[in-house]
Amino acid sequence: MLTQIIALLIFIALFAVGAIRGVQIGVLMLVGAAGTGLVFTDMSVEDIIAEFPLSIMILLAGVTYFFAIAQENGTVDKIIDWALERVGSSAVLLPVVFFLITGGIAAMGAPLAGLVMMPVGMQVARKYGVDYALMGLAICFAIGAGGFAPTSLYGIVTYSTAHDAGIDLSPFLLFGIAVAVYLVMLAVAYFMYGRSLFSKTTVAAAEHAEAGARVSRGSASASSVAFGEDDEDEALFDSSTTDEAGESSPFTFVQILTVIFMVGLIATVVVLAALGQEPDIGLLCFMFGAILALVDPKTGKAAIPKIDWPTVLLVGGIITFVGVLQNMGAVDLLGEGAESIGSPLIAAFVLCIVGGLVSAFASTTGILAALVPLALPLIAAGGVPGWALIAALGVCSAVVDVSPFSTLGATVVATAPVEDKPRLTRILVKFGMSMVVIGPVALVGGLVVPAMMF
């Protein structure tokens, strides 16, 4: 038992040190996994390396490469323009539009890819009088909702862990739960920060309506996000708020092809999943990316540096260490500790709070990779429906991401004007920290408890 406790303490310490010192946690975890496996178990180097999730590496590399091409060739900007043209002069719909677009981007495999929408959304919010808090929260919620799609990382890590443990968690059910939760949160955000959009037309929107101008993104672009380019880590804002947008140019051949591949990716995954198959999303993305690179070599080359290797390292390192912990029985030790609590429901509630609390200050992807496997012993002990607990734990770990201490919340603050940063920080701290408790109460009470009863 002593070696298992030491291994768990090493795991926790590496996570904490990496978060506090700003060091790549995945690198620390890979080194820690190797040291722990060689010193405390009879695992060989080959056994330890075998725990590295190559499938997730292919997924993240392929998805971020494909999306980077779509970003570089201007397809994402065109989609934004197309959607905004259909809003007319209704500022009240703008957060919903950005929720839908960002959710679609996040659903393509890499949730944080949706962050390219943040500077664009903030500039549009400024031009049309939408509260920065409402726009920022809408984009954060969209990233969370899209991230749990069957085609995206949060969802894949969560439901694949469940399936590997023999737990029947439908990826579409998980996605539906996440979308429902985030839609409720969006409605709350509208009530708190968007009521004025319903009661009256904002000045900026009224001016545009009188001029007959359509809603536009101004100079903001998802292809070349003006972010982090000065000492204040600001997004660059258009100096004009009333300029009339010109007619948008039609989609180019490459952009049309990119949109077809985007739709084809989602459709292929949905159809094959409905047939009981598990398509390799990463390879599909590499295939589509390769075709686009052959058609337009310049954007294909520019997309290579945008592959999300940091997340590959993060998830790979954590899952490798968790594999070592499982091999030496440390994960089973946690299950015995959960049983000692006495009530499986209380243990589930505590686990969801821990997931939310840690995720508010660290990477959600890392927390999902770490905590979802560690929840399996509690499920094996009985008393808690596995699918419900894993779904609740996954969503609880993500709903706190609006905290300014996490990547999403920090980006909201960074892309806002200087004078609005203090207010946004206060709002996001309250919203994010409240979800550490509200999330587990709502999801354990509304999902786990009913699942236990029926």
Side-chain angles (χ1 to χ4, degrees):
M1 176 183 290
L2 179 60
T3 57
Q4 287 92 336
I5 293 175
I6 292 174
L8 287 170
L9 291 176
I10 292 173
F11 181 81
I12 295 170
L14 290 177
F15 208 107
V17 169
I20 294 171
R21 297 288 296 168
V23 180
Q24 228 294 343
I25 295 176
V27 173
L28 297 180
M29 287 292 180
L30 283 172
V31 175
T36 301
L38 293 174
V39 173
F40 296 110
T41 74
D42 57 358
M43 297 178 70
S44 65
V45 173
E46 289 77 14
D47 295 332
I48 296 169
I49 293 175
E51 299 292 342
F52 189 90
L54 289 176
S55 59
I56 290 182
M57 182 186 76
I58 295 296
L59 166 72
L60 283 172
V63 166
T64 51
Y65 176 62
F66 175 51
F67 176 76
I69 291 178
Q71 188 181 1
E72 286 290 329
N73 66 24
T75 302
V76 176
D77 281 341
K78 283 294 183 183
I79 293 173
I80 297 171
D81 290 338
W82 178 85
L84 292 180
E85 284 176 0
R86 281 146 185 79
V87 174
S89 59
S90 179
V92 71
L93 295 178
L94 288 174
V96 175
V97 170
F98 275 85
F99 179 88
L100 294 174
I101 298 174
T102 307
I105 292 173
M108 289 176 59
L112 292 185
L115 284 176
V116 300
M117 294 296 294
M118 194 70 76
V120 182
M122 289 305 214
Q123 177 158 310
V124 169
R126 175 182 181 271
K127 288 168 67 71
Y128 299 97
V130 179
D131 194 311
Y132 293 120
L134 176 57
M135 182 62 79
L137 288 171
I139 294 174
C140 288
F141 297 161
I143 291 173
F148 280 101
T151 54
S152 199
L153 182 61
Y154 295 171
I156 290 171
V157 170
T158 305
Y159 73 71
S160 63
T161 302
H163 288 180
D164 290 344
I167 298 170
D168 187 19
L169 173 60
S170 166
F172 296 100
L173 175 61
L174 175 64
F175 182 43
I177 292 169
V179 170
V181 169
Y182 280 108
L183 285 176
V184 171
M185 293 172 67
L186 181 60
V188 171
Y190 259 104
F191 176 77
M192 296 176 68
Y193 309 112
R195 281 176 290 178
S196 62
L197 298 176
F198 292 94
S199 61
K200 62 179 179 178
T201 304
T202 62
V203 175
E207 291 176 350
H208 278 72
E210 291 174 4
R214 61 179 174 81
V215 174
S216 72
R217 56 185 167 84
S219 64
S221 172
S223 299
S224 55
V225 173
F227 173 69
E229 296 186 0
D230 63 8
D231 293 337
E232 297 295 329
D233 202 26
E234 300 268 340
L236 299 184
F237 284 83
D238 225 347
S239 59
S240 171
T241 60
T242 60
D243 59 328
E244 192 170 319
E247 290 297 322
S248 60
S249 58
F251 282 76
T252 65
F253 170 74
V254 173
Q255 291 167 346
I256 292 173
L257 188 61
T258 304
V259 172
I260 291 174
F261 285 160
M262 286 179 174
V263 175
L265 173 66
I266 302 297
T268 301
V269 172
V270 170
V271 170
L272 290 180
L275 296 175
Q277 305 296 316
E278 294 186 3
D280 193 308
I281 299 170
L283 287 179
L284 282 173
C285 287
F286 271 124
M287 180 184 72
F288 292 147
I291 295 172
L292 291 172
L294 288 172
V295 174
D296 186 0
K298 181 179 178 181
T299 56
K301 183 177 180 180
I304 293 293
K306 292 189 175 183
I307 294 177
D308 194 3
W309 295 116
T311 302
V312 171
L313 277 174
L314 173 68
V315 176
I318 290 175
I319 291 180
T320 301
F321 204 137
V322 170
V324 173
L325 293 176
Q326 289 174 326
N327 185 277
M328 64 189 300
V331 175
D332 294 332
L333 187 64
L334 290 178
E336 296 173 5
E339 288 184 37
S340 67
I341 295 177
S343 170
L345 191 60
I346 294 177
F349 182 72
V350 170
L351 190 62
C352 287
I353 286 184
V354 170
L357 183 61
V358 178
S359 184
F361 297 91
S363 164
T364 298
T365 305
I367 293 300
L368 288 173
L371 280 188
V372 172
L374 299 183
L376 298 180
L378 176 60
I379 296 169
V384 179
W387 69 267
L389 175 57
I390 289 182
L393 177 59
V395 177
C396 283
S397 298
V399 293
V400 300
D401 272 357
V402 296
S403 159
F405 310 111
S406 67
T407 303
L408 300 190
T411 306
V412 174
V413 176
T415 51
V418 175
E419 62 271 17
D420 289 280
K421 289 181 185 289
R423 172 178 174 267
L424 276 177
T425 300
R426 291 193 299 270
I427 289 173
L428 296 179
V429 167
K430 293 177 182 177
F431 211 105
M433 292 300 100
S434 67
M435 292 310 300
V436 172
V437 177
I438 294 174
V441 169
L443 284 157
V444 173
L447 191 64
V448 177
V449 171
M452 293 173 67
M453 297 173 62
F454 299 103

